[in-house]
Amino acid sequence: MSFPKQRLRRLRQNENIRRLVRETHLSVDDLIMPLFVRPGKGIKQPIPSMPGNYQMSVDILTEEVKELEAIGIPGIILFGIPEVKDELGSDAYSDAGIIQKAITAIKKEARDILVLTDVCMCEYTSHGHCGFLKADEHTGHFEIDNDKTLELLAKEAVSHANAGADIIAPSDMMDGRIGTIREALDREGFRQIPIMAYSAKYASGFYGPFREAAESTPEMGDRSSYQMDSHNAVEALREVSLDIEEGADIVMVKPALAYLDIIRNLKENFNYPIAAYNVSGEFSIVKAAAEKGWIDEKRVALEILTAIKRAGADIILTYWAKDAARWLKE
C-alpha cells in the first residue's frame, strides 16, 4: 500500500499517538551512574572537563549515593583515586583501599542500590597502565605482563566482593581475566556475584576527561596493545564469545555512541544482557556545546541515551544518569 492510502504522518500528529506507537522506551531502570571517590573528608572536588561530576571523599560520596537511590537509580559504579600509587597498584586489592572503604560505607547507608566496582589497575599504578609492567628482554621496552596481571585482578575482585560489592566489572582487557576472576570469586565463596565484563572496550580518544577524573593517564605509551582497535567489528564478537565462555554474566561495549553498530551486532548474535558505557568524552562534548548555547543539553542527551538503548543496550552507564532520571519523570 502506498500514498495516498498510506500516510505515515497519521501516527505522528500528536504526542499521545506518538507514545502509543513508540518502539524504544528509555527508563531510569536502564541507568548506572559512575562515581569517583578519593581519600579525605568533606571533599567534593569538581572535575573541570566533566561539569557536574566530582571527585568525592567517602562521606560525601555516601550522601550522593543515598540521593541517587532516592530518585530510583538502580546502581552505581565506583572508580577510586588512591592516596598512594605504586608499580603493583596495591591499593586496588588492599582491604583498606579507597574502594573497599567506600563500599563498606555505602552499604551501611544505602542498602537497596547496586554497587558495581571497576576492576582494573590503571587508577592505582604509578605508571598509569592497566596491569603489571615488565621490560621486554630483547628491546628493553616496557609491556604489560598479561598473566601476572591476572593474579592482581583476581585479588582486586575478591577484595571488592569481601567489602560488599554486588557486581564486579573488569575493564582491563587482559586475555583470560574473566575466567581467572570467576574462579577466584567462586573459590572464595562468591559464586552469586555477577561479572559485568568490559568485553568490547576500544582504544578510544573519547576517554580523555575520564583520565583526568580518575587520574589514570599513562605515563608512557598508550593502551593500544591491549584495548581493541577502533577499526574492528568482528573481533568484538570473538572477545564477547570468549568472555561468555569464561563466565561473564553481562557483556559491555565501551564507548557507546561511536560504536552503536557493535552494540547491535552483539544483540543480534548473543542472547545475553548488553551494557554500554556512554563515556566521558561523549558526555563532555555535549556539555561544552550546551554551555555555548549551541544545543539543548537535555534534548540531545536523551536522544543519545535513546539511541544507545535502540541499538540494543539493556544497561547504560552514563554521567547523565542522575539528570536523566529526573528528566524522564518530567
Side-chain angles (χ1 to χ4, degrees), residues 157-169:
V158 169
S159 178
H160 290 181
N162 271 319
D166 297 297
I167 298 176
I168 300 299

Side-chain angles (χ1 to χ4, degrees), residues 23-277:
E23 299 172 22
T24 304
H25 296 273
L26 181 69
S27 163
V28 66
D29 297 338
D30 305 322
L31 308 176
I32 298 291
M33 182 72 186
L35 296 172
F36 300 91
V37 58
R38 64 172 307 121
K41 191 172 183 180
I43 296 173
K44 189 174 183 180
Q45 184 171 311
I47 301 166
S49 59
M50 297 172 64
N53 289 267
Y54 305 87
Q55 292 180 347
M56 292 174 277
S57 53
V58 171
D59 55 327
I60 302 297
L61 177 85
T62 302
E63 293 303 311
E64 177 71 10
V65 174
K66 287 165 65 178
E67 185 176 343
L68 293 170
E69 181 183 46
I71 62 174
I73 300 288
I76 58 157
I77 185 165
L78 294 176
F79 298 92
I81 299 98
E83 192 163 7
V84 177
K85 302 187 180 195
D86 58 37
E87 289 187 2
L88 292 176
S90 55
D91 195 272
Y93 44 85
S94 167
D95 290 340
I98 185 62
I99 290 293
Q100 291 80 353
K101 289 178 180 177
I103 298 168
T104 301
I106 290 166
K107 287 297 180 180
K108 289 179 180 176
E109 300 290 338
R111 298 181 183 275
D112 294 328
I113 195 167
L114 292 171
V115 177
L116 292 73
T117 58
D118 176 77
V119 171
C120 193
M121 306 303 296
C122 62
E123 299 139 65
Y124 308 95
T125 54
S126 52
H127 46 73
H129 277 284
C130 299
F132 179 74
L133 276 189
K134 68 175 182 180
D136 184 277
E137 60 183 24
H138 302 293
T139 67
H141 296 154
F142 282 95
E143 61 180 23
I144 293 285
D145 185 328
N146 187 97
D147 295 3
K148 174 65 175 177
T149 300
L150 298 185
E151 300 172 19
L152 303 180
L153 295 169
K155 288 173 65 176
E156 182 180 5
V158 169
S159 178
H160 290 181
N162 271 319
D166 297 297
I167 298 176
I168 300 299
S171 66
D172 55 282
M173 289 300 287
M174 298 298 118
D175 290 335
R177 87 267 200 221
I178 302 303
T180 301
I181 289 170
R182 184 72 273 163
E183 289 174 10
L185 290 171
D186 290 356
R187 187 171 58 246
E188 296 299 323
F190 296 111
R191 292 179 179 85
Q192 80 284 3
I193 293 195
I195 294 176
M196 175 188 285
Y198 287 63
S199 298
K201 180 179 179 181
Y202 286 84
S204 171
F206 284 99
Y207 300 150
F210 173 90
R211 291 176 180 170
E212 177 190 11
E215 300 181 10
S216 61
T217 303
E219 283 193 350
M220 53 192 163
D222 59 27
R223 296 176 179 143
S224 298
S225 66
Y226 45 100
Q227 293 177 356
M228 283 185 58
D229 188 328
S230 62
H231 301 82
N232 296 354
V234 174
E235 186 184 1
L237 300 178
R238 295 175 62 198
E239 284 280 9
V240 168
S241 180
L242 287 168
D243 283 356
I244 289 172
E245 184 179 331
E246 291 178 22
D249 301 283
I250 303 167
V251 293
M252 188 196 297
V253 176
K254 180 182 180 182
L257 189 56
Y259 297 87
L260 296 177
D261 60 319
I262 307 301
I263 298 171
R264 172 50 55 186
N265 284 348
L266 299 189
K267 194 67 174 178
E268 291 176 348
N269 282 277
F270 299 97
N271 188 24
Y272 261 70
I274 307 293
Y277 202 139

